[in-house]
């Protein structure tokens, strides 16, 4: 129902070419496309409900199939991006085209077309594109001695595929798109920001989540956990049964700051967790830490510095994060850090990444391979042409600390010398409490940023339709209302909804009773 009304809200453009059947038009498209430096592999009609499989896609992408939600013309092509690099891209052109164009992003250090994003946006009537970002697979081996592949990853694959995608859209429907959009999270969030910073004409509306900003420093920070844990020694390693005790203590110290003791911390920057409170006063206990274990927990939540300068802010405080850190980072050096330093920074497969020195960290930042860092605070060109960006970040992110998004917002504010009331005109940043990396978590995390997290298409509750409304109707999102389902399971029904505030506002509970009632929450400065 909601989907239909969203599509109906925009004039659905007539099918391509007078009387031409959509399927035939799709089949014929291959011979009609004449785009420089591209090779069309296939154009094929895919009926709604089809289970598409991707046998040739790298298994590390973990995208073996995608059930397609709406009728689309699927175009697969290869774009030459330099004399030693290329990118594989797809365009999914829906029969119910709204006139809008949308590019999707990538994740990690891949290498992987995000088919769920293609499906999500095309089912909402966007002519949608995605690419493999210049190399296949969720690893960085192809960066080795090939800066062109690194450049594709950093910005060029998205730029090129969006330009080509707009052309294909025009060729297929016989008219240009009306507005162009971007949707991405994590590396995809960074890609969206890169376009806002460097290619401000490309998209009218950008939705950029949990962004991997200051990318070289982020990979250094991700590389910090493994040596902390490896060097903790058996007596400094808190055993798994104690992780829950750490969460309990953390919540005891910080959960009530927002006025609701609900297991969700609205503003982790106000929390100053002291793990030392859990040190055993005397004897051995299953609910307390040794001084060495407390020091390990403290180290996990420290910012990373190199020779006195801040490299990356600390992991935000929140429940579940100690367990996440031990689970994600303790076995070996984090894959993205390891591959980035070996193949993109040092071009040396034998380089040992287990402990990164301050010199190596600074070297990577200054080298900035492929111009990947994505840390410009001047968005004047983007603002001046009327483009908008919606930035969001989960406040329990275990992969990219959300503290860096606060820092970036502040950096833009300082660089452009604008107060938040002025940034609000084109840049809004929403802190999604209780949300993990790009989704999941016990908060009201269903905000429509990905297909798996759609509770509603109402622009008040969906970051993508909110962006469309902002661009096309001039109605900016004041808050984004997320939905939490019972046991995080949609089929079990709605548990509660909560309106997430835009930075620098923070959410506080003003009631005395039911924190599940959205009316008891208020955004304050
Ligand atoms: C789609 O096909 C794949 C491969 O045959 C299969 O593993 C998967 O379960 C199918 N998915 C659905 C939803 O039918
Ligand atoms: C196109 O949209 C209409 C409603 O606007 C819907 O009834 C129809 O099922 C859609 N068709 C496809 C193929 O998605
Ligand atoms: C590839 O392109 C680069 C930069 O445009 C140029 O310097 C180089 O000579 C070219 N290499 C070959 C083999 O054509
Ligand atoms: C990295 O990706 C490439 C290309 O997909 C693949 O051939 C290779 O096996 C992968 N390497 C590792 C270590 O996973
Ligand atoms: C603490 O108690 C556990 C279980 O009784 C035991 O395995 C461990 O060795 C004790 N640790 C210390 C430091 O006494
Ligand atoms: C990498 O360095 C660490 C610490 O310096 C060392 O423990 C480890 O054995 C080294 N790994 C390899 C493969 O040499
Ligand atoms: C990245 O780290 C270097 C230190 O190696 C620091 O000089 C630089 O300011 C950092 N960049 C950001 C955006 O924090
Ligand atoms: C939710 O999960 C809890 C804990 O696992 C369980 O006790 C409860 O029955 C679940 N509720 C529903 C509605 O499934």
């Amino acid at each position: 129902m909601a989907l239909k009304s969203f599509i109906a809200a925009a004039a659905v453009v007539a099918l391509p070419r007078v009387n031409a059947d959509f399927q035939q038009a799709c089949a014929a498209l291959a011979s009609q496309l004449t785009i420089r430096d591209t090779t069309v592999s296939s154009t094929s009609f895919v009926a709604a409900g089809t289970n598409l499989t991707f046998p040739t896609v790298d298994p590390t992408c973990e995208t073996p199939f995608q059930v397609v939600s709406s009728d689309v013309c699927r175009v697969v092509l290869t774009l030459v991006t330099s004399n030693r690099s290329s990118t594989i891209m797809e365009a999914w052109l829906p029969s119910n085209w709204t006139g809008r164009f949308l590019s999707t992003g990538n994740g990690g250090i891949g290498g992987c077309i995000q088919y769920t994003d293609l499906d999500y946006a095309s089912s909402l009537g966007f002519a949608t594109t995605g690419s493999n970002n210049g190399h296949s697979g969720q690893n960085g081996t192809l960066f080795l001695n090939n800066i062109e592949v690194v450049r594709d990853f950093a910005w060029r694959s998205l730029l090129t595929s969006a330009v080509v995608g707009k052309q294909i859209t025009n060729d297929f429907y016989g008219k240009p798109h009306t507005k162009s959009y971007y949707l991405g999270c994590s590396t995809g969030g960074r890609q969206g920001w890169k376009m806002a910073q460097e290619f401000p004409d490309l998209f009218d509306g950008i939705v950029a989540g949990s962004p991997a900003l200051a990318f070289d420093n982020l990979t250094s920070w991700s590389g910090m956990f493994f040596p902390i844990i490896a060097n903790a020694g058996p007596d400094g390693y808190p055993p798994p049964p104690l992780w829950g005790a750490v969460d309990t203590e953390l919540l005891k110290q910080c959960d009530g700051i927002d006025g609701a003791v609900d297991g969700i911390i609205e503003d982790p920057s106000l929390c100053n967790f002291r793990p030392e409170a859990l040190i055993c006063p005397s004897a051995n206990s299953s609910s307390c830490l040794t001084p060495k274990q407390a020091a390990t927990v403290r180290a996990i939540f420290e910012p990373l510095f190199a020779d006195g300068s801040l490299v990356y802010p600390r992991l935000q405080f929140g429940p579940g994060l100690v367990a996440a850190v031990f689970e994600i980072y303790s076995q070996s050096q984090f894959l993205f850090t390891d591959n980035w330093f070996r193949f993109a920074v040092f071009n040396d497969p034998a380089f040992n990444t287990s402990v990164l020195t301050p010199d190596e960290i600074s070297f990577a930042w200054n080298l900035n391979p492929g111009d990947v860092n994505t840390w410009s605070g001047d968005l004047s060109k983007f603002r001046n042409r009327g483009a908008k960006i919606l930035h969001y970040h989960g406040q329990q992110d275990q992969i990219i600390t959300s503290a860096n998004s606060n820092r970036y917002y502040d950096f833009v504010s300082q660089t452009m010398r604008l107060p938040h009331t002025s940034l609000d005109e084109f840049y809004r940043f929403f802190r999604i409490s209780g949300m993990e990396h790009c989704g999941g978590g016990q908060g009201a995390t269903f905000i429509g940023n990905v297909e798996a997290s759609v509770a509603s298409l109402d622009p008040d509750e969906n970051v993508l339709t909110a962006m469309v409304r902002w661009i096309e109707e001039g109605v900016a999102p004041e808050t984004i209302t997320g939905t939490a389902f019972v046991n995080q399971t949609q089929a079990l029904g709605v548990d509660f909804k909560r309106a997430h505030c835009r930075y620098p506002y923070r959410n506080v509970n003003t009631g005395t009773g039911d924190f599940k009632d959205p009316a008891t929450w208020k955004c304050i400065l």
Side-chain angles (χ1 to χ4, degrees):
M1 281 310 287
L3 168 60
K4 279 182 193 164
S5 62
F6 175 71
I7 290 174
V12 173
V13 172
L15 292 184
R17 291 168 200 92
V18 186
N19 297 326
D21 173 76
F22 185 80
Q23 298 188 33
Q24 285 172 1
C26 183
L29 182 63
S31 60
Q32 289 163 7
L33 291 174
T34 52
I35 301 169
R36 214 162 53 87
D37 297 332
T38 63
T39 310
V40 178
S41 312
S42 64
T43 61
S44 52
F45 172 74
V46 183
T50 303
N51 180 1
L52 270 187
T53 56
F54 311 107
T56 61
V57 168
D58 196 277
T60 57
C61 286
E62 294 177 355
T63 54
F65 67 88
Q66 175 67 45
V67 178
V68 180
S69 305
S70 56
D71 287 356
V72 297
C73 175
R74 178 187 179 211
V75 184
V76 182
L77 63 165
T78 301
L79 316 179
V80 173
T81 46
S82 78
N83 56 17
R84 25 180 208 144
S85 63
S86 63
T87 200
I88 298 169
M89 86 171 253
E90 298 204 10
W92 287 22
L93 308 166
S95 63
N96 270 347
W97 189 44
T98 55
R100 301 179 182 117
F101 173 82
L102 184 142
S103 285
T104 62
N106 300 88
I109 54 170
C112 301
I113 291 173
Q114 300 199 160
Y115 289 104
T116 57
D117 292 346
L118 281 172
D119 186 64
Y120 179 36
S122 59
S123 75
L124 294 177
F126 296 88
T128 308
T129 62
S131 88
N132 77 342
N133 219 16
H135 68 280
S136 286
Q138 193 51 269
N139 72 45
T141 53
L142 292 173
F143 295 145
L144 182 64
N145 294 318
N146 193 340
I147 188 65
E148 301 298 351
V149 176
V150 180
R151 288 187 180 125
D152 279 351
F153 171 79
W155 53 271
R156 192 172 49 200
S157 178
L158 173 58
L159 172 67
T160 314
S161 60
V163 169
V164 168
K166 289 176 179 181
Q167 179 69 51
I168 293 172
T169 300
N170 181 75
D171 289 352
F172 183 60
Y173 296 105
K175 55 164 77 176
H177 66 275
T178 51
K179 296 290 178 190
S180 62
Y181 295 90
Y182 174 82
L183 179 68
C185 196
S186 194
T187 273
R190 184 194 63 73
Q191 291 170 293
W193 270 112
K194 188 71 176 173
M195 298 303 118
Q197 294 170 4
E198 310 289 339
F199 305 99
D201 295 330
L202 199 60
F203 299 115
D204 298 307
I206 292 175
V207 178
S210 318
L213 296 169
F215 187 81
D216 281 291
N217 285 9
L218 168 63
T219 54
S220 294
W221 173 81
S222 312
M224 157 187 113
F225 300 103
F226 175 64
I228 288 173
I229 296 168
N231 295 334
D235 55 341
Y237 186 106
L242 274 181
W243 299 345
V246 174
D247 284 349
T248 303
E249 177 61 29
L250 192 154
L251 288 172
K252 193 174 128 198
Q253 293 182 25
C254 295
D255 190 6
I257 294 171
D258 54 29
V261 179
D262 58 352
I264 298 168
I265 297 175
E266 290 293 325
D267 185 350
S269 72
L270 299 178
C271 175
N272 190 15
F273 176 51
R274 290 167 296 102
E276 293 77 15
L278 267 182
I279 292 174
C280 308
S282 52
N284 184 359
S285 148
S286 63
S287 59
C288 65
L289 300 173
T290 66
K292 278 191 160 180
Q293 290 168 346
T296 303
V297 172
R298 176 166 285 280
I300 284 169
F301 288 107
E302 291 289 353
L304 178 63
F305 290 89
D307 292 331
S309 39
L310 179 68
V311 175
Y312 226 66
R314 72 181 183 202
L315 180 65
Q316 79 280 298
F317 292 115
L321 289 162
V322 169
V325 164
F326 282 103
E327 279 156 12
I328 297 167
Y329 304 99
S330 65
Q331 298 306 313
S332 57
Q333 184 51 286
F334 190 54
L335 175 80
F336 304 163
T337 302
D338 174 76
N339 277 211
W340 184 253
F341 273 85
R342 285 198 292 146
F343 302 124
V345 176
F346 289 114
N347 281 308
D348 176 5
F351 182 81
N352 186 337
T353 58
S354 66
V355 180
L356 297 169
T357 67
D359 280 354
E360 289 159 359
I361 289 169
S362 299
F363 178 82
W365 173 255
N366 292 321
L367 182 68
N368 187 16
D371 198 15
V372 77
N373 273 332
T374 315
W375 193 260
S376 161
D378 181 5
L379 305 171
S380 316
K381 288 185 182 143
F382 185 77
R383 175 192 58 180
N384 292 345
R385 65 168 288 269
K388 319 275 185 213
I389 189 158
L390 192 162
H391 174 175
Y392 66 88
H393 206 135
Q395 300 297 300
Q396 270 172 224
D397 193 317
Q398 69 282 41
I399 304 286
I400 300 175
T401 176
S402 63
N404 195 57
S405 280
N406 301 21
R407 182 171 78 121
Y408 180 71
Y409 184 99
D410 293 342
F411 176 58
V412 172
S413 177
Q414 287 158 20
T415 306
M416 298 184 74
R417 299 167 191 255
L418 292 176
H420 70 94
T421 45
S422 300
L423 291 180
D424 267 354
E425 289 164 20
F426 66 97
Y427 170 21
R428 294 187 178 214
F429 165 42
F430 294 90
R431 292 188 282 177
I432 313 298
S433 57
M435 187 202 228
E436 295 169 0
H437 188 58
C438 296
Q442 81 277 28
T445 65
F446 279 61
I447 56 167
N449 59 319
V450 292
E451 191 163 46
S453 301
V454 178
S456 167
L457 293 173
D458 179 337
D460 291 336
E461 305 187 16
N462 182 304
V463 288
L464 179 54
T465 60
M467 178 50 83
V468 170
R469 184 173 64 174
W470 195 3
I471 293 294
E472 298 181 16
E473 296 170 35
V475 179
E478 296 295 313
T479 57
I480 293 291
T481 295
T483 301
F485 290 97
V486 175
N487 283 359
Q488 297 179 43
T489 308
Q490 206 157 1
L492 296 178
V494 173
D495 188 358
F496 63 95
K497 293 190 178 210
R498 188 170 299 175
H500 300 292
C501 307
R502 67 184 189 279
Y503 191 82
Y505 293 92
R506 66 190 174 90
N507 221 356
V508 291
N509 194 276
T510 56
T512 49
D514 189 6
F515 59 79
K516 292 187 178 181
D517 176 2
T520 63
W521 291 90
K522 195 175 164 193
C523 297
I524 64 161
L525 278 177

